[in-house]
Amino acid sequence: MNATGDDDIAVLCRDVHRSFQDGSRVIEVLRGTDLVVKRGEFIAIVGASGSGKTTLLNLIGGLDRPTSGTIMVDGVDITKLDDEQMSEMRRNKIGILFQDQHLLPVFTALENVMVPMLLNEVRAKERERRAMELLKAVGVDHRAHHMPHELSGGMRSRVALARAMANDPVVLLCDEPTGDLDHKTGGEIIRLMRDLAKEHNRAVLVVTHDPEVARMADKILLLRDGKLVEELVSHFFKPSGVDVESARQSDESGEAATSEG
């Protein structure tokens, strides 16, 4: 049961601050950030390099702790959890997808996806069954028994996505998930993540510099001056010549035409 009383809310940040000590000075990265992400939403966070996007993801994922403020994940205030409780929270509620995937090189694709379930003491046959289902969902079940070095970058990203979903998380956090991929492959990965968010009622939060990625989101938030804002997003993308709203409408029209065909 979601302790907030609103079962639709996957992530709730209230007045989150994060500062770092650099010698004699204090660097304020986040200055009262507020965020609400509902189940089934695909949210993109954009902003200049060094604006604190990855810091925010790390806080929501419990990899770091805020200087002050409240962070709720599935109704639980994770700022009040100890390290053991936070580890359990990550295993069961939070999936994390990094740009460089972090696949274990000595394990096959199937074994990599099974690892999170092993930590949750899922039985061997059930681990394998669920891992194969996830690999099939992301389109790489035919490479289940290949080692990471035998897979393309796009395939490794798909395996990492399957692993991030192994324990059916409430929220999926993605830090520049397409940074090392070509345009076509990156687009396929983002569409897959968006579809999985809708199909499984999962919140997906993506940090990106890529306007092609951001335009596929339900909502684009700009991190500026340590706070998330919805204004000036079009100006953020202006140098690349991308009209976010027109691009999204074009994408949706193309999908509709494809389904009709």
Side-chain angles (χ1 to χ4, degrees), residues 37-44 170-174 193-194 196-198 202-206:
V37 186
K38 294 185 176 182
R39 288 174 176 267
E41 278 193 314
F42 185 100
I43 305 295
V170 172
V171 58
L172 180 62
L173 306 175
C174 310
M193 289 166 55
R194 183 181 63 183
L196 290 170
K198 305 302 180 186
R202 182 177 292 120
V204 178
L205 194 57
V206 177

Side-chain angles (χ1 to χ4, degrees), residues 181-193:
L181 304 177
D182 62 76
H183 175 76
K184 180 177 181 296
T185 304
E188 291 172 352
I189 295 296
I190 293 301
R191 285 186 176 85
L192 181 59
M193 289 166 55

Side-chain angles (χ1 to χ4, degrees), residues 194 215 217-218 245-257:
R194 183 181 63 183
R215 74 181 177 85
D218 298 315
E245 186 58 35
S246 296
R248 184 188 290 118
Q249 291 174 356
S250 175
D251 186 45
E252 291 173 351
S253 297
E255 290 177 355

Side-chain angles (χ1 to χ4, degrees), residues 10-253:
V11 176
L12 176 64
C13 298
R14 290 178 179 153
D15 195 28
V16 173
H17 292 251
R18 183 64 173 107
S19 59
F20 298 89
Q21 192 78 32
D22 182 19
S24 60
R25 65 185 184 129
V26 175
I27 300 174
E28 293 184 271
V29 179
L30 299 178
R31 307 179 183 186
T33 298
D34 295 308
L35 173 66
V36 177
V37 186
K38 294 185 176 182
R39 288 174 176 267
E41 278 193 314
F42 185 100
I43 305 295
I45 296 179
V46 300
S49 295
S51 62
K53 301 184 301 298
T54 295
T55 296
L56 179 59
L57 279 197
N58 287 342
L59 292 175
I60 297 171
L63 301 174
D64 189 14
R65 296 190 181 259
T67 305
S68 64
T70 301
I71 301 174
M72 311 282 286
V73 176
D74 196 35
V76 177
D77 185 352
I78 65 172
T79 64
K80 296 180 178 179
L81 302 181
D82 60 29
D83 290 344
E84 184 177 346
Q85 291 170 326
M86 192 62 242
S87 293
E88 183 179 352
M89 191 74 178
R90 275 194 299 272
R91 286 199 305 270
N92 294 294
K93 301 289 186 179
I94 303 169
I96 302 177
L97 184 62
F98 299 100
Q99 179 177 337
D100 53 3
Q101 297 115 18
H102 291 312
L103 295 180
L104 299 172
V106 296
F107 287 173
T108 65
L110 180 66
E111 290 166 339
N112 265 280
V113 178
M114 290 168 63
V115 166
M117 290 182 269
L118 178 63
L119 296 174
N120 269 4
E121 299 182 354
V122 177
R123 292 180 180 274
K125 287 186 178 180
E126 178 64 8
R127 287 200 305 268
E128 184 170 354
R129 184 192 68 78
R130 283 167 54 182
M132 283 299 295
E133 280 188 355
L134 287 165
L135 289 175
K136 184 176 182 179
V138 299
V140 288
D141 51 312
H142 61 298
R143 294 298 186 100
H145 301 290
H146 285 69
M147 308 300 285
H149 72 271
E150 298 175 312
L151 305 175
S152 66
M155 287 181 179
R156 288 195 298 272
S157 291
R158 289 171 183 263
V159 173
L161 176 56
R163 183 184 60 184
M165 298 188 301
N167 288 324
D168 194 25
V170 172
V171 58
L172 180 62
L173 306 175
C174 310
D175 192 2
E176 295 285 359
T178 63
D180 291 336
L181 304 177
D182 62 76
H183 175 76
K184 180 177 181 296
T185 304
E188 291 172 352
I189 295 296
I190 293 301
R191 285 186 176 85
L192 181 59
M193 289 166 55
R194 183 181 63 183
D195 292 344
L196 290 170
K198 305 302 180 186
E199 291 171 10
H200 298 276
N201 203 30
R202 182 177 292 120
V204 178
L205 194 57
V206 177
V207 159
T208 184
H209 284 97
D210 188 346
E212 295 295 318
V213 171
R215 74 181 177 85
M216 288 188 253
D218 298 315
K219 185 186 299 181
I220 304 170
L221 300 177
L222 174 64
L223 188 55
R224 184 189 62 183
D225 298 329
K227 296 184 177 182
L228 286 170
V229 294
E230 293 185 65
E231 59 181 307
L232 299 179
V233 171
S234 61
H235 293 285
F236 180 86
F237 288 120
K238 197 170 184 180
S240 65
V242 174
D243 182 328
V244 175
E245 186 58 35
S246 296
R248 184 188 290 118
Q249 291 174 356
S250 175
D251 186 45
E252 291 173 351
S253 297

